Amino acid sequence: MELFDKNILFLIDKELNRYLEGEGTIYKASRHLLLAGGKRIRPYLTILTYMLKRDDIEEVLPAALAVELIHNYTLIHDDIMDNDDRRRGIPTVHIVYGKPMAILAGDLLYAKAFVAVSDIRDPEKAHEVLKVLSKSCVDVCVGQAMDMEFEKREDITMEEYLEMISKKTGALLVTSVEIGAIMGECSSEEREALREYAKRIGLAFQIQDDILDLVGNKNKIGKPIGSDIREGKKTLIVIHALQHLPEDKKKRLLDILGKRDAEDEEIKEAIEILKDSIEFAKEMVKKYITESKEYLKIFDKKRRKKLEDIADFIMERVY
């Protein structure tokens, strides 16, 4: 059985296109990443969470799209800040349209997210969704700022890193399920369980991303292997290595880390130095995914199955 229901994905894409119908370069730029695909995990999570309790997908769709529009807005701005030239296997928005237009395209997606919230039929639910979504936008900004500041520091702790990714990556995943829970009228106990589930898949998602950057297939992940090393990212893997490596290897890793023009051979050398820390990160992903599924046990077995499958997909994904 397919992990992602094609009918639901078709509905998501159809409605996304409707929100982004418009003439001119700004609309082309805002559609650029969306039309390149993407897994649609966030809106899909919103719909699956809603379906724990209810079945009227049309009711939850605007709320689900709001999360995806915010997500794509963050990606465009993220690529500008990181100077990334590829995402999802294609040139990034600022490479094709220039930085000023890319910033505007991201802002347009941000604004359209709140147009989607205003399309929620029930005003009380719309208000709750607005509160949760706007809070997660703040968290994403704070997380991104922490990530940028970490590049200048060597003494990042594991706890600081986990807090940063819980904001930068995790916040929108938690919001995805929380919005689904609001729309599906879950109880406060159920909402809390879903938040805990999503917190853990959010942490696992980012750590798996960190792993794939070093050992993934560049054609599948859509960007060059080792780009985090060239950018000097203090990932969980790097933090673990800096805490456990002997001094000579630690020094060599720091020589390569953040070297934008590092040769491919140097990147390979850094990945070899990080080998044990990559294994540590894989164990962390397993731990978070196992814990996440425990929180779903208060829901109907059949209805929670796809949420469990999403958790497994995050651990096993290769792109």
Side-chain angles (χ1 to χ4, degrees):
M1 195 162 128
E2 289 276 330
L3 171 62
F4 293 97
D5 183 316
K6 287 198 172 81
N7 293 326
I8 293 176
L9 291 180
F10 174 78
L11 260 181
I12 290 168
D13 282 346
K14 184 177 153 219
E15 284 298 292
L16 277 173
N17 280 320
R18 190 174 68 77
Y19 276 103
L20 293 173
E21 279 172 354
E23 298 299 319
T25 309
I26 187 168
Y27 275 96
K28 281 184 193 162
S30 69
R31 290 191 293 261
H32 179 79
L33 263 189
L34 278 167
L35 295 179
K39 295 176 279 295
R40 308 286 188 249
I41 280 180
R42 289 156 194 83
Y44 197 66
L45 273 171
T46 301
I47 291 168
L48 289 185
T49 306
Y50 172 84
M51 290 173 76
L52 288 168
K53 295 288 197 171
R54 298 163 79 89
D55 295 305
D56 177 12
I57 291 179
E58 293 292 331
E59 184 196 14
V60 73
L61 208 48
L65 296 177
V67 187
E68 184 66 3
L69 289 161
I70 293 286
H71 172 56
N72 279 272
Y73 138 73
T74 66
L75 296 183
I76 293 175
H77 284 199
D78 204 22
D79 288 339
I80 294 167
M81 285 181 263
D82 289 345
N83 289 312
D84 283 338
D85 56 8
R86 295 191 79 72
R87 184 180 286 277
R88 295 174 182 165
I90 62 166
T92 45
V93 180
H94 67 274
I95 293 295
V96 179
Y97 295 97
K99 283 181 185 174
M101 187 57 75
I103 291 166
L104 280 174
D107 292 346
L108 179 74
L109 291 173
Y110 181 79
K112 287 284 186 179
F114 294 98
V115 173
V117 173
S118 72
D119 286 339
I120 295 169
R121 294 195 298 253
D122 181 325
E124 279 186 32
K125 288 181 181 178
H127 183 245
E128 274 297 301
V129 168
L130 182 62
K131 279 202 292 192
V132 171
L133 190 63
S134 48
K135 182 189 177 298
S136 74
C137 290
V138 172
D139 285 342
V140 169
C141 292
V142 171
Q144 176 68 7
M146 288 171 78
D147 193 21
M148 288 161 64
E149 285 160 6
F150 285 180
E151 286 172 34
K152 304 182 196 102
R153 283 176 49 197
E154 273 178 40
D155 58 340
I156 315 299
T157 65
M158 207 83 79
E159 289 73 22
E160 285 177 306
Y161 177 78
L162 293 173
E163 185 196 347
M164 181 272 287
I165 64 172
S166 74
K167 287 182 161 64
K168 184 184 170 182
T169 306
L172 271 183
L173 286 163
V174 173
T175 293
S176 302
V177 301
E178 191 156 16
I179 286 176
I182 291 164
M183 297 301 295
E185 298 175 18
C186 288
S187 69
S188 54
E189 184 201 357
E190 289 167 335
R191 254 173 92 165
E192 185 54 34
L194 285 161
R195 269 197 297 268
E196 293 299 333
Y197 157 81
K199 273 181 202 168
R200 283 155 182 78
I201 65 168
L203 292 169
F205 192 95
Q206 183 58 56
I207 297 167
Q208 184 68 359
D209 243 19
D210 298 344
I211 295 165
L212 290 174
D213 184 79
L214 302 177
V215 296
N217 177 319
K218 76 170 182 180
N219 296 322
K220 285 208 166 99
I221 62 173
K223 60 178 186 174
I225 294 299
S227 58
D228 284 352
I229 293 172
R230 286 191 173 95
E231 285 165 23
K233 294 268 185 199
K234 301 293 193 310
T235 64
L236 180 98
I237 296 163
V238 168
I239 293 163
H240 180 268
L242 293 176
Q243 289 173 353
H244 293 88
L245 284 172
E247 278 306 313
D248 57 332
K249 286 194 173 176
K250 181 175 164 180
K251 184 182 180 307
R252 182 60 185 139
L253 177 63
L254 288 170
D255 286 344
I256 302 168
L257 199 65
K259 188 176 174 185
R260 290 260 172 194
D261 58 351
E263 302 286 338
D264 287 349
E265 281 309 309
E266 289 177 296
I267 296 298
K268 276 185 193 164
E269 185 187 348
I271 292 168
E272 181 58 32
I273 291 169
L274 292 167
K275 196 167 63 179
D276 289 346
S277 297
I278 292 168
E279 288 309 309
F280 168 78
K282 287 179 181 175
E283 288 305 312
M284 289 282 279
V285 171
K286 274 187 209 163
K287 171 182 165 291
Y288 285 132
I289 293 302
T290 304
E291 286 176 6
S292 76
K293 291 192 286 188
E294 284 297 311
Y295 283 99
L296 295 176
K297 288 190 172 166
I298 64 169
F299 296 101
D300 175 78
K301 196 172 183 180
K302 196 174 167 192
R303 286 190 177 242
R304 75 180 189 232
K305 174 78 170 69
K306 286 219 162 175
L307 284 171
E308 291 170 339
D309 291 345
I310 291 275
D312 288 331
F313 164 75
I314 283 169
M315 180 169 65
E316 291 154 15
R317 73 193 175 100
V318 292
Y319 64 95

